[in-house]
Amino acid sequence: MKLTRRLLTKIIAVGLAATPSVSMFSGTEAWADTITLKISHAWPNRTEFLDKMRVAFNAAHEDVQIEYVAAGDNWQPLFQSTLRDSLVGQLPDVTHQLINYTHLYLEKGIAQPVDTIPGGQEFIASSGMSQALVEAAAANDHVYAVPYGLTVPVVFYNMSLLKKAGWDRPPQTWDEIIAAAAKVSALGGNISGGYFEFEASNNWMYQNVLSGLGGSMKGDNGTIGFDSELGVEAMSIIGNFAKAANTVAMTRDQARQAFNAGTVGILIRPASGIPSILKAAQANNFELEVGAFPVTTGKGKLSAVSHGMFVLTDDPARQKAALQYIEWAYGPEAQALEAEYAGYLPANSKALNESNQFADYLKANPYVRSLTASLSNAGDWYTYPVDNTDQIFDAQIEVVRGVVTGKTEPAAAVAQMSAETEKLLK
């Protein structure tokens, strides 16, 4: 949604009066009793990251402590869990959730506007938050989420396998990626040419192939945008890659394990996998390269995942405590922890570019440093503004699965996906 003149005026006016370097919460402001915030998330396997976050925050805050609660193993399960919790009055105080669910949370009356919490307007105005992210989290002249991290799709290459197959550099285009996958697949044995994580939430990978070509999931006047030549081309790329790579019947987790073990040549997945894959490459002694997801110059954009922090509690005291957590999590310490342990790109560009806490990390992680340039190609990740948005995307992913397994031709798949989407939107 576009920012209204009213909201922009309000934020700018507050920003002129705010001092960015001063925290909204001084050490002299304290609650009579310690408040423990329950914060839900979709990272049950990132225990080290969450432990680092919890220990760091709790050590620096006497009056507010945090407790992380795993409420799903991905964004869609977390969203559905939050809806169920709202029905029984058991919402957490804060949730780390996709920003593009803002309107759905607002329609359900779940999320609380951050800018109405005392200190909230000042924080938003002085944070340096990008206008694009504020727009994504804004509705009805209020801001409902503060961004925490970003990720874009990337291509991981086991260069040891690619070189063995006669490919001595990271591929640059879809044609090259598909050709390299075929060469690796021809090595035989237990070697797989590659795996494309097409099952990602919200049909994210198909969205990215399409938007990278210059297409869009949404057409004019709210119509379906992928039922087009570009939509078929995007589906063909996914199908051609699966055929060339001789993709076996692996699940996403099995494919990740196989790539980490050194038996898969190419893995197309979110950039947030960089820390774990780097460790695996070092442990299993194979050469790793991380390449940019192909984007057509001058036309294409990436559909970035932007997740943020929503305040769900309506208790004023707990809201103030929640804002203290959000301000810290958006700051350089927490953003650096997120980059190092969770692999997400920082949503706070000021922290990334100006904080000393990132200098050594970026020097030691050239993969992450090179990907920051990809953010210039990052656009919106589309979601349907309806209650059954998850059902729509699940149906779309099953259509893509038919292409990956060779059961459905790309043109027929696009027509099927369009028909099923139209039916579910009614």
Side-chain angles (χ1 to χ4, degrees):
M1 143 172 201
K2 295 294 184 185
L3 282 180
T4 64
R5 183 185 302 273
R6 179 179 167 190
L7 179 56
L8 274 174
T9 301
K10 180 172 69 173
I11 291 177
I12 292 171
V14 173
L16 292 175
T19 304
S21 61
V22 177
S23 169
M24 300 302 117
F25 298 89
S26 67
T28 59
E29 182 176 356
W31 286 270
D33 299 308
T34 298
I35 290 180
T36 299
L37 296 172
K38 290 191 179 297
I39 303 172
S40 68
H41 62 85
W43 304 309
N45 296 324
R46 289 189 167 126
T47 55
E48 183 179 13
F49 160 58
L50 294 170
D51 284 345
K52 295 282 185 181
M53 289 282 288
R54 178 182 52 78
V55 170
F57 179 85
N58 288 351
H61 298 81
E62 294 181 359
D63 302 317
V64 180
Q65 301 282 277
I66 59 172
E67 177 185 340
Y68 288 112
V69 178
D73 61 359
N74 212 322
W75 300 119
Q76 289 182 10
L78 173 60
F79 175 67
Q80 294 298 331
S81 174
T82 305
L83 294 183
R84 290 192 297 271
D85 287 344
S86 71
L87 296 176
V88 295
Q90 294 182 348
L91 284 170
D93 298 297
V94 176
T95 186
H96 280 267
Q97 182 57 272
L98 293 178
I99 286 180
N100 62 357
Y101 284 145
T102 296
H103 288 271
L104 292 174
Y105 275 140
L106 180 58
E107 289 175 5
K108 299 297 183 182
I110 294 175
Q112 306 298 322
V114 177
D115 56 333
T116 63
I117 301 172
Q121 283 190 37
E122 292 83 355
F123 166 64
I124 293 169
S126 64
S127 65
M129 206 180 300
S130 74
Q131 181 175 331
L133 290 177
V134 174
E135 286 183 2
N140 297 345
D141 291 330
H142 290 292
V143 178
Y144 284 86
V146 173
Y148 180 59
L150 304 169
T151 192
V152 292
V154 294
V155 189
F156 292 91
Y157 300 104
N158 180 330
M159 290 306 300
S160 298
L161 288 180
L162 265 67
K163 288 179 179 180
K164 186 176 181 180
W167 200 282
D168 61 0
R169 60 177 178 79
Q172 302 295 315
T173 65
W174 282 120
D175 286 344
E176 290 184 351
I177 290 171
I178 291 167
K183 285 182 175 293
V184 173
S185 179
L187 293 174
N190 67 334
I191 301 300
S192 172
Y195 190 85
F196 197 117
E197 292 194 356
F198 67 92
E199 311 99 319
S201 296
N202 288 34
N203 204 9
W204 186 55
M205 283 298 188
Y206 176 79
Q207 285 202 42
N208 268 289
V209 179
L210 177 61
S211 63
L213 295 171
S216 174
M217 294 294 285
K218 182 181 179 181
D220 296 334
N221 301 317
T223 60
I224 291 173
F226 58 80
D227 194 355
S228 63
E229 290 184 7
L230 285 178
V232 175
E233 184 179 349
M235 199 71 78
S236 298
I237 286 171
I238 295 174
N240 290 340
F241 175 83
K243 183 177 180 180
N246 193 24
T247 298
V248 296
M250 289 189 288
T251 65
R252 182 200 68 176
D253 289 343
Q254 288 171 338
R256 289 182 177 184
Q257 291 171 6
F259 185 87
N260 289 352
T263 60
V264 173
I266 300 172
L267 181 64
I268 303 173
R269 63 166 289 185
S272 53
I274 288 176
S276 61
I277 290 180
L278 180 58
K279 289 180 181 178
Q282 293 169 342
N284 293 304
N285 197 31
F286 64 84
E287 182 184 349
L288 176 69
E289 288 288 349
V290 182
F293 197 89
V295 171
T296 301
T297 303
K299 295 195 304 181
K301 290 285 186 182
L302 293 178
S303 296
V305 171
S306 176
H307 60 92
M309 299 165 284
F310 290 85
V311 176
L312 306 185
T313 178
D314 58 5
D315 179 87
R318 302 188 74 81
Q319 286 183 349
K320 288 184 67 177
L323 187 58
Q324 187 169 350
Y325 168 74
I326 287 173
E327 183 185 25
W328 175 83
Y330 190 74
E333 180 181 9
Q335 293 278 287
L337 287 172
E338 175 191 43
E340 183 173 0
Y341 290 96
Y344 288 102
L345 299 171
N348 186 337
S349 59
K350 287 174 62 177
L352 177 64
N353 296 323
E354 301 173 12
S355 170
N356 291 333
Q357 289 168 286
F358 279 97
D360 292 339
Y361 173 71
L362 291 176
K363 183 177 180 180
N365 293 272
Y367 301 131
V368 175
R369 186 175 65 249
S370 64
L371 286 175
T372 57
S374 298
L375 297 182
S376 63
N377 284 323
D380 293 334
W381 177 18
Y382 185 70
T383 189
Y384 296 97
V386 292
D387 285 352
N388 64 337
T389 182
D390 290 344
Q391 185 180 358
I392 292 172
F393 284 125
D394 287 345
Q396 291 182 356
I397 289 169
E398 288 310 306
V399 173
V400 178
R401 189 186 306 277
V403 175
V404 170
T405 56
K407 296 178 181 178
T408 313
E409 291 298 314
V414 169
Q416 180 186 352
M417 194 162 78
S418 178
E420 292 193 15
T421 302
E422 286 276 16
K423 179 176 64 178
L424 291 168
L425 280 172
K426 293 179 179 178

